[in-house]
Amino acid sequence: QTESNTHQVNLNEMDVEPGKVPNVKGMSGRDALVLLERQGLDVVLRGSGRVRTQSLLPGHQPKDGSTITLYCR
């Protein structure tokens, strides 16, 4: 996960538990998309910018082919 301001970019390490939906709230939509697709989820993005809410709760064990919707602003 990345955070930025006008002078620097901070990289934050995320622990992602295999087989469980990570908490992507606050991430950029693009970063969240890549992370969730690597987890085997189909991703639908609504809006642009940072993720405000996600349709599957963090820690949820999705079934194969599950879709998660990210609402960004």
Side-chain angles (χ1 to χ4, degrees), residues 21-22 24-25 27-34 36 43-48 50-56 68-73:
V21 175
V24 295
K25 186 176 177 181
M27 291 179 70
S28 74
R30 184 174 294 164
D31 287 344
L33 174 84
V34 170
L36 293 168
V43 182
V44 175
L45 282 175
R46 301 282 186 218
S48 61
R50 300 225 173 254
V51 176
R52 299 295 179 203
T53 59
Q54 61 190 75
S55 65
L56 297 178
I68 184 170
T69 302
L70 304 178
Y71 300 91
C72 302
R73 188 164 37 124

Side-chain angles (χ1 to χ4, degrees), residues 9-10 13-14 22 24 29 37 39 42 48 53 56 66:
V9 173
N10 299 317
E13 189 173 321
M14 270 184 82
V24 295
E37 284 182 340
Q39 293 287 100
D42 292 324
S48 61
T53 59
L56 297 178
S66 291

Side-chain angles (χ1 to χ4, degrees), residues 1-6 8-12 26-27 31 50:
Q1 181 174 359
T2 61
E3 295 177 17
S4 65
N5 62 32
T6 57
Q8 64 187 20
V9 173
N10 299 317
L11 299 175
N12 297 322
M27 291 179 70
D31 287 344
R50 300 225 173 254

